[in-house]
Amino acid sequence: MTTHPADTSPARGFLARALTLIRGANRLPERIPPDVVRAMARIFPAMVFWQSARTKVDGLTIKDSTFFLFEHVYALPLVPPAPAAVLATVAEHLLPVLLILGLFARFAALGLLIMTAVIQIFVFPGAWVTHGLWAVALLVTLAQGPGRASLDHLLGLETARARP
């Protein structure tokens, strides 16, 4: 069999080397430990909600401005403003702590995912990109669990799963 001169051209050799390099680079992220990804998926959205929670209180007291916001800006169709303010403030303090610790992590992620959906649908529908990023991170915890760097794992509430 004879080789056509174009088959051995420098361009073809460059393309083959480039494809080999790209394939190798694409394999590098596979070396990231899944538990690192799962921990980051828990911690980063939790911090967003925690920081929001801290703006709603002064010490152990919910600020008047929080009640004002729930009455005029965050108004929900089915939940009165005062109970909504209290529920959201408590949830934004409790669920992020659970998520960061990895304790009842799937429950905490579900709670924050529901809060994200409520915020997206009823409060800030134009912020779907931000809310989508939160949702994806929370879905990682729901779908894959909190990983080995969690109290759920240490307490035997979750078992480490093989990489999907």
Side-chain angles (χ1 to χ4, degrees):
M1 177 168 132
T2 60
T3 306
H4 188 276
D7 290 343
T8 59
S9 71
R12 189 167 194 77
F14 172 78
L15 181 60
R17 286 190 301 279
L19 289 174
T20 299
L21 183 64
I22 291 168
R23 286 185 192 109
N26 285 342
R27 284 192 300 271
L28 285 176
E30 294 174 2
R31 295 182 180 192
I32 298 170
D35 291 315
V36 170
V37 174
R38 291 175 183 156
M40 292 173 70
R42 293 190 340 253
I43 292 167
F44 289 111
M47 289 307 300
V48 170
F49 283 92
W50 176 260
Q51 289 173 344
S52 174
R54 300 307 302 149
T55 68
K56 292 177 173 62
V57 296
D58 184 12
L60 296 176
T61 305
I62 298 176
K63 294 178 181 177
D64 290 338
S65 60
T66 300
F67 290 105
F68 177 85
L69 286 169
F70 274 85
E71 187 171 345
H72 299 285
V73 178
Y74 307 156
L76 300 176
L78 301 175
V79 183
V86 172
L87 288 171
T89 302
V90 170
E92 282 187 339
H93 278 90
L94 176 63
L95 297 176
V97 170
L98 292 175
L99 201 55
I100 289 170
L101 294 173
L103 181 62
F104 310 120
R106 290 182 198 245
F107 165 79
L110 179 61
L112 293 177
L113 185 61
I114 291 168
M115 287 184 71
T116 299
V118 168
I119 295 166
Q120 172 58 39
I121 294 166
F122 297 112
V123 183
F124 297 120
W128 60 271
V129 172
T130 298
H131 301 146
L133 291 170
W134 301 351
V136 166
L138 294 165
L139 284 169
V140 167
T141 301
L142 278 172
Q144 298 182 2
R148 292 180 291 190
S150 70
L151 287 177
D152 284 347
H153 178 74
L154 291 174
L155 297 171
L157 300 172
E158 290 274 347
T159 56
R161 296 187 328 182
R163 176 183 223 114

